[in-house]
Amino acid sequence: MPRILVPYDPSWPARFASFATELRELARADWAIEHIGSTAIPGMRAKPIIDLAVRIRDLEDFGAHLSALESGGWRRGSAVRSHPVMILEREGARVAIAHFFTAGEWDAVHQRILRDWLRSHPDDADLYVHAKCDAVAAAARGTSAYNAAKTPVIQEIVDRARAARGLPSVPVSDK
């Protein structure tokens, strides 16, 4: 799949809201769902794929709703090992990725912490955009995978954001 960054699209928040509603309706669950990833940062270039963080009670809660989500077109299929992930494709293109986190880990989820930090720290948002552009170029040359190429900068920013909250550093790579 090509890694293409596009300019910020003001429709992304509405697309997020639609996907969040769809997940809740399919699962018939009152889950907390937040917009994460680069599409959640106003003005940021991003791959045009909406990332969602879904707070589940526990892994059994996820398992209980898995078949309902699959019946709506969501499928498992990610290299992420730290939490369940489901992907939605439409017309052969990935349009959304739902990351499921248990209630016990919710407040320390680095994707949420990174989003909050980038929204309020424009210098780090610029640093991240440059890392993403470099990662796209590196992946195009075949020298590294996109996610691996941007991980060092994400780690640096998440470490700062976690320290500001009094939280320890954790590895951000979960593949």
Side-chain angles (χ1 to χ4, degrees):
M1 170 171 66
R3 309 284 186 205
I4 299 171
L5 301 179
V6 300
Y8 180 79
D9 183 337
S11 74
W12 288 339
R15 289 182 56 209
F16 155 75
S18 176
F19 292 132
T21 297
E22 179 180 330
L23 285 170
R24 286 187 195 99
E25 288 176 355
L26 285 169
R28 295 184 180 166
D30 189 26
W31 289 328
I33 303 178
E34 296 182 1
H35 192 180
I36 58 171
S38 296
T39 61
I41 313 300
M44 183 169 282
R45 294 180 62 79
K47 293 180 291 173
I49 302 167
I50 305 299
D51 285 288
L52 304 96
V54 182
R55 187 179 69 200
I56 54 176
R57 184 181 62 253
D58 51 32
L59 292 177
E60 289 76 27
D61 184 22
F62 173 74
H65 296 93
L66 181 58
S67 63
L69 297 173
E70 289 174 335
S71 72
W74 291 83
R75 67 171 174 79
R76 300 223 33 194
S78 169
V80 173
R81 296 180 310 213
S82 60
H83 58 275
V85 174
M86 296 196 80
I87 297 165
L88 181 65
E89 292 181 346
R90 297 218 169 115
E91 298 175 13
R94 187 176 292 188
V95 295
I97 304 171
H99 300 259
F100 294 82
F101 301 102
T102 64
E105 63 192 346
W106 186 253
D107 290 337
V109 168
H110 71 78
Q111 293 89 337
R112 295 177 65 239
I113 292 171
L114 177 63
R115 175 213 49 212
D116 293 347
W117 185 266
L118 293 177
R119 284 178 172 172
S120 61
H121 292 82
D123 289 345
D124 277 340
D126 287 343
L127 178 65
Y128 183 47
V129 167
H130 287 20
K132 288 167 39 128
C133 291
D134 291 347
V136 167
R141 289 191 309 269
T143 60
S144 177
Y146 174 77
N147 287 330
K150 66 181 185 167
T151 295
V153 170
I154 294 172
Q155 186 71 59
E156 176 187 331
I157 295 169
V158 168
D159 285 350
R160 263 196 298 282
R162 289 180 66 84
R165 292 183 179 202
L167 297 170
S169 174
V170 296
V172 297
S173 179
D174 51 11
K175 295 185 168 72

